[in-house]
Amino acid sequence: MDIRLKTEEIEKKILSKYATLSLQTKGRIVKEDKCGIRTDFQRDRDRIIHSKAFRRLKHKTQVFIAPEGDHYRTRLTHTLEVSQISRTISRALKLNEDLTEAIALGHDLGHTPFGHTGEKVLNNLHSNGFRHNEQSLRVVDFLEHNEKRQGLNLTYEVRNGIYCHTGEKEPEFLEGVVVRQADRIAYINHDIDDAVRANVISIEELPRKCVEVLGKSHGERINTMILDIIRNSIGEKWVSMSKEINKYTNELRKFMFDKVYLDSHAKSEEKKAEYIIEELYKYYLKNPDNLPYEHKKIYKDKSFSKEDMVCDYIAGMTDRYAINLFYNIFIPKPWKKY
């Protein structure tokens, strides 16, 4: 039995005319034989989940650097929340849930240690700048590798959704637009939740009208935003919030930038994180031979600069790996008599 063929037939029967069928994928950079069980988008999802970059997300900062407590979001839990929201919306709109899930799980693979602080530092240090969506695409196209292939060799649709999940360029496919919307819903609401837990803000400080329209609790706000997208987009060739809900969602986002992301005591450790990344970057630019062999061998027979090699290495680090590496390189060790 070729299960994949049956799944592709089911997609044609039940999905919206605006959905992206796995049977009609634009394909991979390197052509491969089809899987007998999984569609191409299901296969992409599995490759992302099994990647080293995906596993490292569990020790990368979302907003709060080195928080005390086990319940604060990490980059991995953020990714899972985006995936859950994306799948809910995609299923309701009869879009391709497998494609949506693959994009959601891969969208932040290129994020740096220490969250957007790390991204800002690398953007300032690298001559060509640094953007995490571009780095996520670089991860799946080049940096993730095994004995069989360079990169994950994902489909065009998944790669487009990953690259376009943020920034000015809109995704070509509605499943990518869903992830772009879900990413915003997830981080605004779970960052509020974490900020309240950290006593950075209180629920009472949230803009009154936003609370009245969107809801007071974490679950109410997410539910309002998801339902609004579904009602506003079902049967249409777009995916978006209504004007009213989008207005108050943006106001809530602005509130978070003003009170949490840019100016709060929760950001007090950022200067230290910036210093760690800057010093590691300068050290490896001067000492590229000290980069791990496993990292250097990726660039064999490739025309990449030292900057690229160092930037890729640091961007892939977890918070704790970067801290421990800094300690081992720059902090004097107690002298021992042998």
Side-chain angles (χ1 to χ4, degrees):
M1 290 177 60
D2 196 325
I3 298 173
R4 173 182 55 80
L5 291 177
K6 293 181 181 294
T7 304
E8 290 171 346
E9 285 300 315
I10 291 171
E11 284 183 0
K12 288 195 290 185
K13 291 178 181 178
I14 68 172
L15 294 185
S16 162
K17 62 182 178 181
Y18 301 117
T20 308
L21 301 180
S22 55
L23 182 62
Q24 297 173 351
T25 175
K26 293 185 178 182
R28 307 179 187 279
I29 296 174
V30 178
K31 191 173 182 179
E32 297 181 14
D33 292 335
K34 299 281 188 178
C35 175
I37 299 173
R38 297 165 298 169
T39 68
D40 283 349
F41 299 147
Q42 290 171 343
R43 203 176 191 185
D44 285 357
R45 173 203 60 204
D46 294 350
R47 288 182 180 182
I48 290 168
I49 288 175
H50 289 287
S51 69
K52 296 186 291 294
F54 184 78
R55 295 196 293 274
R56 289 197 299 269
L57 294 176
K58 68 179 178 179
H59 293 301
K60 292 195 177 194
T61 290
Q62 173 59 25
V63 171
F64 297 96
I65 296 173
E68 291 285 338
D70 295 331
H71 295 152
Y72 293 96
R73 271 71 171 190
T74 65
R75 191 60 59 177
L76 179 60
T77 56
H78 162 73
T79 294
L80 295 176
E81 290 187 35
V82 173
S83 176
Q84 177 268 317
I85 293 169
S86 298
R87 289 179 60 194
T88 298
I89 296 171
S90 193
R91 185 180 299 178
L93 297 179
K94 294 187 177 181
L95 299 176
N96 195 313
E97 193 174 339
D98 294 323
L99 173 56
T100 307
E101 184 178 25
I103 295 169
L105 293 175
H107 82 283
D108 268 356
L109 291 179
H111 238 300
T112 60
F114 310 120
H116 287 284
T117 298
E119 181 176 19
K120 178 180 68 176
V121 174
L122 289 182
N123 185 51
N124 291 333
L125 291 172
H126 197 288
S127 59
N128 292 326
F130 181 94
R131 288 158 289 278
H132 77 270
N133 60 315
E134 294 177 1
Q135 189 69 12
S136 294
L137 188 61
R138 184 170 171 81
V139 168
V140 300
D141 282 355
F142 174 66
L143 294 174
E144 276 291 330
H145 63 284
N146 58 30
E147 63 281 358
K148 295 181 180 179
R149 63 175 179 265
Q150 186 83 48
L152 300 181
N153 197 29
L154 303 182
T155 57
Y156 176 87
E157 292 80 4
V158 174
R159 294 174 62 249
N160 176 265
I162 288 173
Y163 179 77
C164 298
H165 83 269
T166 188
E168 294 181 2
K169 191 172 182 181
E170 291 285 338
E172 293 181 30
F173 311 95
L174 288 187
E175 289 82 0
V177 180
V178 167
V179 174
R180 192 174 169 107
Q181 293 279 345
D183 186 30
R184 186 172 64 138
I185 292 173
Y187 77 70
I188 290 172
N189 287 292
H190 65 50
D191 290 352
I192 290 173
D193 198 35
D194 282 354
V196 171
R197 178 176 288 107
N199 292 320
V200 173
I201 60 171
S202 66
I203 289 293
E204 288 69 31
E205 290 180 74
L206 296 178
R208 182 180 58 81
K209 190 63 177 178
C210 291
V211 171
E212 290 177 2
V213 174
L214 301 175
K216 184 174 182 180
S217 73
H218 175 76
E220 287 174 353
R221 290 189 299 273
I222 290 179
N223 192 59
T224 297
M225 293 174 186
I226 290 175
L227 285 176
D228 181 72
I229 288 176
I230 293 169
R231 288 169 180 155
N232 195 53
S233 311
I234 195 161
E236 304 292 348
K237 58 180 180 181
W238 64 73
V239 175
S240 65
M241 291 180 176
S242 66
K243 288 183 179 180
E244 181 188 27
I245 299 303
N246 188 58
K247 172 187 174 183
Y248 291 110
T249 299
N250 285 335
E251 285 188 17
L252 207 54
R253 181 176 181 270
K254 183 179 183 302
F255 169 83
M256 290 298 291
F257 268 92
D258 293 341
K259 298 293 185 179
V260 179
Y261 301 145
L262 300 180
D263 184 24
S264 74
H265 67 258
K267 316 302 283 182
S268 60
E269 298 297 295
E270 280 193 354
K271 290 297 180 183
K272 297 176 185 177
E274 291 173 6
Y275 183 75
I276 288 174
I277 292 179
E278 287 173 1
E279 293 304 309
L280 288 175
Y281 191 90
K282 289 187 287 187
Y283 172 81
Y284 281 110
L285 272 186
K286 292 179 180 178
N287 304 279
D289 289 342
N290 291 347
L291 288 166
Y293 170 74
E294 286 296 314
H295 182 70
K296 288 187 291 186
K297 74 178 185 180
I298 303 173
Y299 303 87
K300 188 177 180 181
D301 300 325
K302 301 286 185 180
S303 57
F304 293 104
S305 67
K306 283 193 301 183
E307 268 194 305
D308 292 334
M309 295 174 64
V310 172
C311 190
D312 287 338
Y313 183 49
I314 293 176
M317 293 178 184
T318 62
D319 295 18
R320 65 182 186 180
Y321 184 88
I323 292 169
N324 290 336
L325 189 61
F326 178 89
Y327 182 88
N328 290 331
I329 293 174
F330 297 108
I331 306 302
K333 309 296 188 297
W335 183 83
K336 292 182 180 181
K337 182 178 179 180
Y338 293 95

